[in-house]
Amino acid sequence: MLKNLLARLGLTPPEHPLFAANHLYFRGLDQNLPLADYDFVVFDTELTGLNRRRDEIVSIGAVRISKLQIRVGESFYAHVKPARSLPKDSTLIHRITPQQLKEAPTLARVLPGFISYCGHSLLVGHYVGLDMAFLNRACRQNYGSPVFNPCLDTMILAQSYTEMQWSQYHDRFRMDISYNLAALGKQYGLPEFTHHNAYEDALQTAYLFLYLIKKMHHLGITTLKDLYNAGQGWRRLF
């Protein structure tokens, strides 16, 4: 393969066009703008399991947020056919059956559409590091490059918001709060969606994200840089 040949010659292969423009764009990203000035793609994946080396993505769902509003008509959802047989245990969780995946496209075919859909948007997910680990593994395997879009984690933002609230009360170190996506939705009175469905979990996460940044706006979190800095504060508690 060309990639292996270039590696043996000590040369770096050219960056894939899908990633080259994004790499350049995000290298100069201004983090000091109001949050309403950024576009976000809120996404979720369903997996065959949690082993980051062996397991695979079986569905990707995403919704777009522009001007702090969910653009329901601009969504993304795809089933993905895994290379290995679908474990029965995973079907019990996400309810995707082998029959549904039999005619589904491979991840190599789904990725270009999803990467193009993300474009110059910031990525948002709940415990997003897990989703990004699987996504970037696939991107490296297929394109030799990870995704460069910066990510925001609603689980960390929820922890940061809770810390801001605790700082005003004596029970600051109360530890019985769940940061599960469904539990947070109920706690904040948000619309409820079907759990462990990539598209509906993305919608649930989008509502949670908007709720948190609007609440945090009243506490002085107004720019992307503020939001990133706030996301580091909760770690001081533990």
Side-chain angles (χ1 to χ4, degrees):
M1 293 177 62
L2 176 61
K3 182 179 177 181
N4 294 333
L5 175 61
L6 291 173
R8 286 198 298 270
L9 295 173
L11 302 174
T12 302
E15 194 168 28
H16 192 281
L18 271 176
F19 297 89
N22 270 20
H23 194 181
L24 181 63
Y25 176 83
F26 286 117
R27 191 181 299 166
L29 180 67
D30 185 353
Q31 298 185 31
N32 296 300
L33 301 176
L35 289 167
D37 288 0
Y38 300 93
D39 283 344
F40 303 91
V41 164
V42 188
F43 82 106
D44 184 64
T45 63
E46 294 301 326
L47 309 165
T48 60
L50 300 179
N51 187 305
R52 300 188 185 198
R53 293 185 177 181
R54 183 182 65 247
D55 286 305
E56 302 175 72
I57 294 172
V58 292
S59 69
I60 302 176
V63 293
R64 191 180 306 282
I65 291 178
S66 181
K67 300 188 185 301
L68 300 185
Q69 293 185 340
I70 298 172
R71 307 296 184 185
V72 178
E74 300 178 29
S75 59
F76 182 97
Y77 184 65
H79 280 155
V80 178
K81 184 177 182 179
R84 300 181 181 87
S85 299
L86 186 66
K88 293 181 180 178
D89 289 348
S90 69
T91 296
L92 293 175
I93 296 173
H94 49 57
R95 300 174 298 280
I96 299 173
T97 66
Q99 290 73 26
Q100 289 176 290
L101 300 180
K102 188 176 180 180
E103 301 300 326
T106 63
L107 188 55
R109 289 174 53 198
V110 171
L111 275 176
F114 181 65
I115 299 302
S116 295
Y117 173 83
C118 292
H120 291 163
S121 299
L122 306 180
L123 301 183
V124 180
H126 198 74
Y127 192 44
V128 72
L130 178 66
D131 300 294
M132 289 302 299
F134 281 89
L135 181 63
N136 276 331
R137 186 187 71 181
C139 287
R140 287 189 177 97
Q141 289 173 345
N142 287 277
Y143 302 109
S145 176
V147 173
F148 295 105
N149 304 52
C151 299
L152 292 161
D153 192 329
T154 50
M155 184 176 70
I156 293 177
L157 293 180
Q159 291 166 326
S160 300
Y161 176 56
T162 300
E163 181 192 4
M164 292 176 185
Q165 291 179 301
W166 283 348
S167 65
Q168 303 175 40
Y169 299 98
H170 296 296
D171 62 344
R172 172 173 177 155
F173 295 102
R174 184 179 150 206
M175 305 298 289
D176 61 345
I177 295 176
S178 171
Y179 292 100
N180 173 274
L181 179 60
L184 288 170
K186 288 182 179 179
Q187 179 182 334
Y188 297 138
L190 304 177
E192 293 187 35
F193 299 91
T194 303
H195 309 315
H196 301 298
N197 172 284
Y199 173 67
E200 298 211 19
D201 276 344
L203 270 176
Q204 185 81 75
T205 304
Y207 275 96
L208 175 61
F209 177 67
L210 290 175
Y211 175 90
L212 290 170
I213 63 174
K214 287 176 181 178
K215 288 292 185 180
M216 294 170 80
H217 182 273
H218 298 300
L219 299 172
I221 308 300
T222 60
T223 68
L224 182 63
K225 189 172 184 178
D226 292 337
L227 204 59
Y228 273 120
N229 289 338
Q232 301 302 313
W234 70 274
R235 300 178 189 275
R236 296 192 297 269
L237 291 177
F238 304 102

